[in-house]
Amino acid sequence: MFRNQYDTDVTVWSPEGRLLQVEYAMESVKQGSACLGLRSSTHSVLGALKRSVSEHASHQKKLLEIDDHMGIGIAGLTADARTIAKWMRNECLNHKYVYGTPMPSGRLLTDLADKHQRTTQTYVRRPYGVGLLVASYDKNGPHLYQTCPSGNLYEYYASAIGARSQSGRTYLEKHYETLNDASRDDLIMHALRALTGCVSGDVELTKDNGSIAVVGKDEKFTLIEGDELQPYLDRLELEGGTGGGDDDDDDDDEEDMLAAINGTTSRRSRRNQLLLRRHQGRSSAHMDTAGMLMRGITEEEQIAMALALSLRDAEAARVREQNNNNDGNDNDNNNNGENDVSGEQTTDGAAGEDNVAVAAVEGGDDSEEAGNDGDGSSSAPAGQETGEENQGEISATDTNHNDPLSEASANAGAGGDETQDVNQNS
């Protein structure tokens, strides 16, 4: 059974009882960048990751204001979201013009769900390929709604939609019970922590791609982006870099956080930020720490993993340094051994030449003494003959690489005896 036989029109049912065109529209929501929302008893907060088509293009808006008491976060087709936002603004203006009060969020969202559903029942229109998270505050308190291209409408304490939103959803499910009593800043920090798990491995959350919106009691819909968001990101980095120390260290960390919020980050906090970025860069090749945090790992376990990675890197650096030192010592020893061998060979050769020269001189002296004792005419040829014999024996000794000193001495003695015999015979 082929799917393409039943997905040519939105009104065609498949044998499994499914509207495939509607499912395709819901799939486009999953392909959009992550968007999340959460609420307490006094405020509702939206958070989103903005995308950019290239490095030279600006980021697309993900959070849109509908009225002073309402705003939306989108995931999916941005063009469809703009059309829906325009319709919602017109509805709010008409209600305020007629009744003089802000439009209740529940009524507006019910009409929006009906608008979604009508596109699934008429063949001339396709479903909207966008999902919305709507944060509002009215006389009944804060609200957080989620819409779907199928026409379904849900109200949540906390939710996340879009690509890689499962990590943020897991974090929110783990902490949603504590959100009811959370303050405005605590809700913003929870939203940023959840967004950290939704970014891809080679991208980090910054003031350019992050966006936060807040609406609550005595506070109109407020968008926090750019430089206004940076203090909260600094606080997030400091929280990620703090470890389990004593009370004095905890007090110092709290002071650093306050300094970051006030825009006067101290030298110690800057150092902690650099260390945190370095550890994040080293650990990104092995694991997505933030992603693991969103999947259920506590902050204490994350700190323990960061310390373990630091110790492992330090141990690896120490081993590399030790290996380099050992290689250097081995090279020095090899060079010294070669120098010793060549020095010994040179010394032995020089000693052999000196011994040969001494032997030749001694042989010549003996020959002269023998010539002086006998007849001068007969002793000179004998001495020359003896010198020639000694030189021949010395040359043979040097060629055969024997002991030059002993053989030269023996030759010198033999030459002296022969010279004495010749003199006596003469």
Side-chain angles (χ1 to χ4, degrees):
M1 187 177 299
F2 300 98
R3 292 174 61 95
N4 57 6
Q5 296 179 356
Y6 304 98
D7 63 357
T8 57
D9 196 271
V10 70
T11 60
V12 177
W13 293 91
S14 70
E16 294 88 357
R18 299 158 61 184
L19 294 174
L20 298 181
Q21 285 283 339
V22 178
E23 293 183 4
Y24 295 160
M26 296 171 63
E27 187 66 25
S28 68
V29 177
K30 298 179 182 179
Q31 299 299 325
S33 57
C35 180
L36 56 88
L38 60 162
R39 71 175 180 88
S40 66
S41 59
T42 58
H43 291 82
S44 291
V45 173
L46 295 175
L49 291 175
K50 298 185 294 184
R51 282 181 177 174
S52 176
V53 295
S54 68
E55 296 180 355
H56 306 288
S58 62
H59 291 78
Q60 294 181 346
K61 288 185 175 296
K62 294 281 293 183
L63 303 180
L64 306 175
E65 181 180 359
I66 302 301
D67 202 351
D68 292 339
H69 68 294
M70 187 184 306
I72 62 173
I74 63 175
L77 299 179
T78 305
D80 289 359
R82 288 199 306 268
T83 302
I84 293 176
K86 183 179 180 180
W87 175 85
M88 294 176 70
R89 293 186 183 118
N90 289 332
E91 291 295 316
C92 290
L93 288 174
N94 292 334
H95 186 278
K96 187 178 291 186
Y97 178 78
V98 173
Y99 298 101
T101 58
M103 186 174 186
S105 56
R107 183 181 301 177
L108 177 61
L109 268 297
T110 301
D111 294 341
L112 178 60
D114 293 339
K115 186 178 180 65
H116 276 290
Q117 194 275 335
R118 282 193 294 271
T119 61
T120 66
Q121 203 171 3
T122 306
Y123 72 93
V124 296
R125 300 193 63 183
R126 64 168 177 83
Y128 290 102
V130 64
L132 303 182
L133 286 177
V134 183
S136 64
Y137 186 88
D138 54 23
K139 62 181 181 180
N140 296 322
H143 300 278
L144 177 66
Y145 297 96
Q146 177 181 336
T147 66
C148 181
S150 63
N152 292 324
L153 177 65
Y154 311 95
E155 184 172 7
Y156 285 93
Y157 288 101
S159 181
I161 58 176
R164 292 184 296 274
S165 62
Q166 182 59 45
S167 297
R169 194 179 301 113
T170 302
Y171 176 86
L172 295 174
E173 290 174 356
K174 184 177 180 180
H175 295 87
Y176 85 95
E177 294 180 353
T178 63
L179 298 178
N180 191 46
D181 298 329
S183 64
R184 175 182 181 274
D185 290 342
D186 291 339
L187 286 178
I188 294 176
M189 294 308 300
H190 278 298
L192 291 176
R193 294 190 195 103
L195 283 177
T196 304
C198 299
V199 297
S200 58
D202 56 344
V203 179
E204 64 178 17
L205 184 63
T206 63
K207 66 179 182 180
D208 296 326
N209 62 5
S211 182
I212 296 292
V214 183
V215 63
K217 184 178 181 180
D218 300 329
E219 183 177 4
K220 295 181 179 181
F221 184 84
T222 304
L223 195 61
I224 303 175
E225 293 179 334
D227 295 335
E228 296 179 358
L229 184 62
Q230 187 60 46
Y232 296 98
L233 295 176
D234 294 338
R235 180 179 174 182
L236 180 65
E237 291 185 356
L238 291 174
E239 288 180 355
T242 56
D246 52 10
D247 294 335
D248 294 334
D249 292 336
D250 294 337
D251 294 337
D252 294 337
D253 293 335
E254 292 178 359
E255 293 177 0
D256 292 337
M257 293 178 190
L258 294 176
I261 294 297
N262 294 329
T264 57
T265 308
S266 63
R267 182 180 301 174
R268 184 171 183 270
S269 65
R270 292 181 185 275
R271 182 189 63 186
N272 291 339
Q273 292 176 16
L274 293 176
L275 291 175
L276 178 62
R277 290 193 181 96
R278 184 181 65 182
H279 291 314
Q280 288 177 346
R282 289 180 178 178
S283 62
S284 61
H286 305 282
M287 64 183 69
D288 190 352
T289 305
M292 296 185 67
L293 175 62
M294 298 305 109
R295 290 193 291 271
I297 294 180
T298 62
E299 295 180 1
E300 290 79 5
E301 293 175 345
Q302 184 192 17
I303 293 172
M305 285 193 299
L307 292 176
L309 289 173
S310 300
L311 293 175
R312 184 193 61 191
D313 295 339
E315 182 65 20
R318 186 185 64 81
V319 172
R320 287 195 299 269
E321 183 177 359
Q322 185 177 1
N323 292 334
N324 293 333
N325 292 334
N326 292 335
D327 294 339
N329 293 332
D330 293 339
N331 293 331
D332 292 340
N333 293 332
N334 293 332
N335 293 332
N336 293 333
E338 293 176 357
N339 293 333
D340 293 340
V341 171
S342 61
E344 291 177 358
Q345 294 176 353
T346 304
T347 305
D348 293 340
E353 292 177 357
D354 293 341
N355 293 331
V356 170
V358 172
V361 171
E362 290 179 353
D365 294 340
D366 292 339
S367 300
E368 290 177 358
E369 292 177 357
N372 293 329
D373 292 340
D375 188 6
S377 61
S378 61
S379 60
Q384 293 177 357
E385 182 180 359
T386 304
E388 292 175 356
E389 294 177 357
N390 291 337
Q391 291 178 357
E393 293 177 359
I394 291 171
S395 300
T397 302
D398 184 67
T399 304
N400 294 329
H401 301 286
N402 291 329
D403 188 2
L405 182 59
S406 60
E407 293 186 1
S409 300
N411 291 333
D417 294 339
E418 291 176 357
T419 304
Q420 291 178 0
D421 293 338
V422 171
N423 293 333
Q424 292 177 0
N425 293 328
S426 62

